[in-house]
Amino acid sequence: MNPPTTTEHPAHTGFAAPAAPSLSLGVVGNCAFSALIDPHGRVVWSCLPRFDGDPVFHALLGGEDGAGAFAIEIEHLDKARQYYDPNTAVLHTELWDTQGQGILITDFAPRFPSRGRFFRPTMLVRRVRPLQGAPRVRVSLTPRFNWGAEMPTITSGSNHIRYVGEQQTLRLHTDASVSHVLSQQPFLLTRELNFLLGPDETLEGGVGETARHFEQETLTYWRGWSQRLALPLEWQEAVIRAAITLKLSMFEDTGAIVAAMTTSIPEAPGTQRNWDYRYCWLRDAFFVVRALNSLAEVGTMEDYLRWLSNAVVGSNGGHVQPLFGIGLERDLPERICKNLPGYRGMGPVRVGNQAHEHFQHDVYGNIVLGAAQAFHDRRLLNPAGLAEFKQLEAAGEKAVLIFDQPDAGMWELRTRARVHTSSALMCWAACDRLAKIALTLQQGERAAYWQQHARAMRERILRESWSEERQAFAAAFGAHDLDASVLLMAEVGFIDPMDPRFIATLDALEKNLCDGPYMRRYDAADDFGKPEVAFNICTFWRIDALARVGRVDEARAIFETMLRARNPLGMLSEDTHATTGEMWGNYPQTYSMVGIINAAVRLSAAWDTVI
């Protein structure tokens, strides 16, 4: 089990200054929105009313001193401890002062079935109670609108405070002193207090009873959800936390899955590799769906297929862009937000993502792979059939047309187009899986058609991506530089992992892209130079490849290293600095959490070894 976050502080007078930003953050959410909470119980990031909305709490990316956060502080802070209620998305933060007095902050976003649907309001619930003594606390609630540029107008009543902006209004319901909250006046905490922050609507019940009811129902939901997971024997706590984090990354209203909950956390210090990941990439979403499917959590796939069908049908059989807004928005213009200085002052802060304009040809394979299980899995409420297969064939036909054409590749290179091996590989996967689906549907003629295309593509890829100079499959047709994404060849069933060419490729990648256990993406310079940090999913691809070629002990050792690289709450961002071990890149990164699940499932001992 992951140890709780524990931080020590020297004795001091008064209230501590906010800690420097880090990615040691708890995540709460309910498949409608999320909030990131630092080790001292301070909400430092939350976009409302949904994942890609206005960050009303933006302290993670800086801004006006003390603004853009929701803090519940203890005077004379001495130590802090943070942990999740087991198998749930309910987060606890203990704060203790120098006199041994303590408080417990409980954070969650309500999620539970009610009236035949899931109740998931855009509401953050914060509950605080004394653990020992009657410590002095201070509540500081300073939302900002329009990316930090707009200070809200504040109005209040006997048990609520309204934060009014041009585009949205938030209402805090509380049984604490409204005056103390408005003035940020310290006060003695002698009883339980509750804070419910959400839309400008009244509560049906009392503040305390509503908070208690929401907490109990939310705990019950997550415990039941976790209980139904088909877990590997080993590393269960890590897998459960990864699975919950992936579930929290879904925008259930449409079925979209965000790549991460943040924007503009640099991939490496001072590099300007800062991107907005609060959107749905078809590539990332496929990997999320497949990982959860491996744990028998198919509900996320059913929701995602609803989103995917709308995205693909909207393309009318033509070009499909690699990412969309979570509401199926196609236009995501990229701009620089000048109001916020960025994570640790390392701007720019980007809003939107220019990659929506890219041609990334692996997308067609991701479409087919993301939908394939729906044709074979009899557990689904709405299994796919012949009509869905015919729609999916349009993606396959597009893959046939463009599989050997230059594109931006899965790493979204902005100034260089080539025939990327990974893109061609996924086009092959589209044809291969369509053939298998056709056989399941007893469509023999169509199966033969897709098998023919898959064979032809495979021959081209094996021939044109192989580099005699590097003795490895290269990043692109006719190229000699290396790219970790070719390891997917074994994972998607393109090549026998014991093929000497695959083994040689793995050796070459380890020699040229690895910094100890960690693996970088590629060895050629891109728009910003050569990558400096390890890309976590590449390390997990290496783990998978090692296991497939029989180097299981090495795979397990590297997996244990990656588990230690997580923050104390069990989560990973996009990148790991091989020297410092620090996390970089957007957070929490679905790709990375997928890697935890995949590695545990592949490497775990079987249940029949203990029962």
Side-chain angles (χ1 to χ4, degrees):
M1 185 172 180
N2 298 317
T5 306
T6 302
T7 52
E8 300 289 340
H9 301 272
H12 61 274
T13 302
F15 292 87
S22 80
L23 296 182
S24 186
L25 301 171
V27 178
V28 298
N30 61 3
C31 303
F33 82 106
S34 64
L36 305 186
I37 301 168
D38 78 7
H40 296 164
R42 185 168 171 252
V43 181
V44 294
W45 184 260
S46 185
C47 297
L48 298 175
R50 62 186 207 180
F51 292 108
D52 58 355
D54 186 10
V56 298
F57 299 121
H58 56 69
L60 185 64
L61 297 185
E64 179 187 345
D65 286 347
F70 185 174
I72 300 174
E73 305 166 273
I74 190 170
E75 190 174 33
H76 304 303
L77 174 66
D78 181 50
K79 59 185 178 180
R81 179 172 179 260
Q82 195 170 55
Y83 52 95
Y84 280 102
D85 205 294
N87 300 352
T88 78
V90 177
L91 182 69
H92 300 295
T93 307
E94 295 178 12
L95 302 178
W96 296 87
D97 67 17
T98 53
Q99 302 302 312
Q101 302 182 111
I103 66 173
L104 175 68
I105 305 168
T106 298
D107 287 302
F108 65 95
R111 176 176 173 82
F112 51 87
S114 176
R115 301 176 184 177
R117 59 180 175 81
F118 273 112
F119 179 66
R120 40 175 168 74
T122 310
M123 176 184 289
L124 175 65
V125 179
R126 314 203 72 191
R127 310 189 66 210
V128 58
R129 64 181 178 88
L131 291 174
Q132 184 72 35
R136 276 215 325 167
V137 300
R138 180 174 67 183
V139 177
S140 173
L141 176 54
T142 56
R144 293 291 184 267
F145 298 127
N146 190 21
W147 290 83
E150 180 187 347
M151 183 180 295
T153 300
I154 299 175
T155 67
S156 63
S158 58
N159 293 103
H160 76 267
I161 304 171
R162 298 171 69 245
Y163 299 87
V164 182
E166 291 184 5
Q167 301 298 320
Q168 64 176 316
T169 297
L170 301 178
R171 181 188 289 243
L172 176 73
H173 297 275
T174 184
D175 47 12
S177 162
V178 169
S179 297
H180 290 343
V181 175
L182 287 172
S183 65
Q184 300 182 27
Q185 173 68 38
F187 60 92
L188 295 177
L189 183 68
T190 58
R191 61 180 177 88
E192 172 191 282
L193 296 176
N194 300 279
F195 304 86
L196 291 77
L197 181 68
D200 190 21
E201 302 168 356
T202 57
L203 291 179
E204 292 184 5
V207 172
E209 65 179 295
T210 299
R212 286 187 288 273
H213 172 67
F214 283 0
E215 180 181 355
Q216 188 55 55
E217 290 296 313
T218 300
L219 286 168
T220 299
Y221 164 76
W222 284 112
R223 288 167 180 163
W225 186 87
S226 299
Q227 186 181 41
R228 293 188 293 272
L229 296 175
L231 297 173
L233 174 62
E234 299 179 84
W235 306 295
Q236 291 185 31
E237 289 87 355
V239 171
I240 290 171
R241 183 53 49 203
I244 289 174
T245 305
L246 293 181
K247 185 68 174 177
L248 291 176
S249 301
M250 163 168 276
F251 183 62
E252 196 169 50
D253 182 60
T254 64
I257 300 169
V258 296
M261 296 175 185
T262 60
T263 179
S264 304
I265 307 298
E267 292 180 11
T271 59
Q272 298 196 18
R273 295 176 185 265
N274 300 9
W275 315 112
D276 191 350
Y277 278 8
R278 302 169 303 142
Y279 308 111
C280 185
W281 271 258
L282 276 67
R283 178 188 312 114
D284 301 52
F286 152 64
F287 281 104
V288 169
V289 164
R290 190 176 66 163
L292 290 177
N293 286 350
S294 74
L295 303 178
E297 204 296 287
V298 296
T300 299
M301 176 176 68
E302 291 193 277
D303 285 330
Y304 171 67
L305 290 179
R306 172 168 47 92
W307 182 91
L308 180 63
S309 298
N310 285 314
V312 174
V313 168
S315 71
N316 297 316
H319 164 66
V320 178
Q321 62 193 66
L323 70 150
F324 294 79
I326 59 177
L328 280 173
E329 296 84 0
R330 297 174 184 274
D331 189 21
L332 304 171
E334 187 174 299
R335 64 181 176 86
I336 303 296
C337 169
K338 297 183 179 180
N339 301 319
L340 301 176
Y343 181 73
R344 300 185 187 174
M346 298 178 188
V349 171
R350 288 189 170 93
V351 183
N353 199 303
Q354 185 251 336
H356 78 277
E357 301 174 357
H358 286 187
F359 287 79
Q360 297 176 22
H361 296 158
D362 67 318
V363 69
Y364 303 101
N366 294 318
I367 289 169
V368 176
L369 287 168
Q373 184 165 331
F375 293 88
H376 306 288
D377 195 328
R378 295 298 99 189
R379 294 171 296 172
L380 303 186
L381 297 176
N382 298 294
L386 189 58
E388 290 79 11
F389 171 66
K390 290 179 178 178
Q391 291 178 352
L392 209 56
E393 283 191 299
E397 294 290 1
K398 189 68 175 178
V400 170
L401 288 174
I402 51 78
F403 111 99
D404 59 355
Q405 300 300 305
D407 74 340
M410 70 183 305
W411 305 126
E412 303 184 334
L413 303 176
R414 297 189 170 206
T415 59
R416 183 177 66 208
R418 297 189 293 177
V419 182
H420 289 91
T421 300
S422 58
S423 296
L425 171 68
M426 296 305 281
C427 288
W428 167 86
C431 297
D432 178 75
R433 298 316 194 265
L434 284 168
K436 290 180 170 66
I437 294 169
L439 288 173
T440 295
L441 297 176
Q442 298 182 329
Q443 301 293 307
E445 182 180 339
R446 299 310 295 165
Y449 174 84
W450 291 113
Q451 286 168 348
Q452 177 185 354
H453 281 300
R455 281 194 299 270
M457 288 182 181
R458 185 174 185 275
E459 291 173 3
R460 289 276 308 278
I461 295 168
L462 289 173
R463 181 174 67 251
E464 299 195 35
S465 69
W466 178 256
S467 169
E468 280 292 330
E469 176 185 326
R470 304 298 291 271
Q471 285 295 293
F473 291 111
F477 283 13
H480 302 293
D481 53 308
L482 301 179
D483 188 316
S485 64
V486 301
L487 293 176
L488 289 171
M489 285 181 166
E491 191 168 329
V492 301
F494 175 83
I495 194 171
D496 184 336
M498 299 310 294
D499 186 304
R501 292 168 294 183
F502 185 77
I503 292 175
T505 298
L506 175 58
D507 290 341
L509 293 173
E510 289 186 305
K511 185 181 297 182
N512 291 277
L513 297 184
C514 285
D515 300 308
Y518 306 109
M519 179 170 274
R520 286 170 277 114
R521 286 179 287 183
Y522 40 77
D523 62 359
D526 59 21
D527 311 336
F528 295 85
K530 289 192 174 184
E532 301 174 20
V533 294
F535 201 76
N536 290 328
I537 192 60
C538 298
T539 304
F540 285 115
W541 290 340
R542 179 192 181 193
I543 290 169
D544 179 84
L546 288 171
R548 289 178 188 271
V549 303
R551 296 164 58 186
V552 176
D553 289 344
E554 292 175 71
R556 289 177 66 94
I558 295 171
F559 183 40
E560 291 289 354
T561 297
M562 290 305 297
L563 292 178
R564 291 191 295 272
R566 298 174 300 160
N567 69 20
L569 290 169
M571 279 169 278
L572 286 168
S573 63
E574 182 181 47
D575 308 276
T576 301
H577 196 290
T579 302
T580 67
E582 189 171 7
M583 297 196 305
W584 290 91
N586 283 309
Y587 174 90
Q589 180 78 3
T590 54
Y591 248 162
S592 301
M593 306 310 289
V594 161
I596 293 172
I597 293 173
N598 290 347
V601 169
R602 175 157 295 282
L603 296 173
S604 173
W607 278 94
D608 62 12
T609 62
V610 295
I611 57 175

